Amino acid sequence: AQTVTQSQPEMSVQEAETVTLSCTYDTSESDYYLFWYKQPPSRQMILVIRQEAYKQQNATENRFSVNFQKAAKSFSLKISDSQLGDAAMYFCAYRSRYYGGSQGNLIFGKGTKLSVKP
Amino acid sequence: DGGITQSPKYLFRKEGQNVTLSCEQNLNHDAMYWYRQDPGQGLRLIYYSQIVNDFQKGDIAEGYSVSREKKESFPLTVTSAQKNPTAFYLCASIADRGSGNTIYFGEGSWLTVV
């Protein structure tokens, strides 16, 4: 079964600085999707960035970028020029490309709480 | 617009009472999920369904029940057997058969025992 591990329960960054959130996963599959979701205090889940495993190029969305290392099964999120509005819980998620399997092939990490200091 | 609707947003349950949280999607997704989130914690999977009339237990199914009679609906019942139901509940869905790469979430429901 697949697993997703976020080893940093909490992180802190100074406003305008850069921070990297870690995520590792375990799978025997070769084709899958990876996601980072942001959950602010409103609890709404907001998609930050997604990566398709067959694409070698790292995904980027404005100030957010990932470092996807398929062989190492690592999917870290880098937030540049951190803003106060970035403070939230961040979840890493894995989704198999293939239908079926345990948990419907949708697995979340336990989350990292990011604080941004002014 | 397509999306997931959860209701109610806030719900209060008395001791010994069953309550049902609604989750409806108009995205034509096969797979739907229910998660529980306690304050400051991650998402814990309660139940999931990958097809109509079929569902599977997640990690914390005890005290909960679901049904999937229609593709667009996946209601969650919190039964009196769930001793600590106060939490935030999230419903999610994804497209099936690898054709979709986005997870859709509802806005969540807060359940409080009074």
Side-chain angles (χ1 to χ4, degrees):
Chain A
Q2 299 89 0
T3 59
V4 175
T5 302
Q6 293 180 248
S7 59
Q8 306 152 316
E10 295 188 24
M11 291 282 286
S12 180
V13 63
Q14 204 71 33
E15 193 176 7
E17 297 294 311
T18 295
V19 64
T20 298
L21 307 184
S22 300
C23 173
T24 59
Y25 58 95
D26 188 25
T27 184
S28 58
E29 298 175 336
S30 59
D31 201 3
Y32 46 85
Y33 304 105
L34 295 165
F35 307 85
W36 277 99
Y37 274 87
K38 171 185 177 181
Q39 189 184 45
S42 68
R43 297 284 184 137
Q44 177 70 41
M45 295 290 278
I46 302 166
L47 177 65
V48 175
I49 202 164
R50 61 182 162 221
Q51 175 82 40
E52 295 169 340
Y54 66 88
K55 292 185 178 179
Q56 293 186 347
Q57 186 173 6
N58 289 326
T60 299
E61 288 287 342
N62 300 315
R63 297 182 295 106
F64 299 88
S65 62
V66 297
N67 183 5
F68 173 48
Q69 301 289 328
K70 191 173 183 180
K73 297 178 183 175
S74 173
F75 183 60
S76 60
L77 174 70
K78 185 172 82 172
I79 306 174
S80 303
D81 186 24
S82 296
Q83 301 175 359
L84 296 177
D86 294 334
M89 189 77 118
Y90 286 82
F91 291 99
C92 178
Y94 168 101
R95 192 228 155 167
S96 173
R97 188 175 177 85
Y98 302 103
Y99 190 69
S102 64
Q103 300 196 359
N105 302 106
L106 176 58
I107 312 294
F108 285 90
K110 293 187 182 298
T112 296
K113 184 178 180 181
L114 178 67
S115 301
V116 181
K117 298 177 181 178
Chain B
D1 290 338
I4 299 180
T5 301
Q6 283 187 244
S7 63
K9 178 76 173 177
Y10 300 96
L11 185 60
F12 298 90
R13 190 194 93 168
K14 294 182 179 179
E15 295 283 350
Q17 198 176 45
N18 291 356
V19 294
T20 297
L21 307 180
S22 170
C23 178
E24 303 276 332
Q25 53 100 356
N26 60 1
L27 300 160
N28 200 35
H29 287 171
D30 278 330
M32 297 185 73
Y33 305 79
W34 273 107
Y35 294 93
R36 169 178 171 147
Q37 188 177 31
D38 293 283
Q41 302 299 312
L43 304 176
R44 293 191 288 170
L45 181 64
I46 305 172
Y47 268 99
Y48 66 99
S49 170
Q50 298 188 82
I51 197 169
V52 174
N53 292 322
D54 186 51
F55 47 83
Q56 305 296 327
K57 291 181 179 180
D59 300 319
I60 55 166
E62 185 175 352
Y64 299 96
S65 66
V66 293
S67 63
R68 189 83 187 277
E69 297 176 0
K70 299 185 296 182
K71 189 174 186 178
E72 59 269 24
S73 179
F74 191 42
L76 173 74
T77 296
V78 185
T79 74
S80 57
Q82 173 49 244
K83 297 306 179 186
N84 185 23
T86 296
F88 183 69
Y89 292 85
L90 268 172
C91 181
S93 73
I94 56 175
D96 65 341
R97 306 187 187 281
S99 61
N101 61 356
T102 300
I103 309 163
Y104 287 80
F105 288 92
E107 293 189 347
S109 296
W110 286 96
L111 174 61
T112 303
V113 173
V114 296

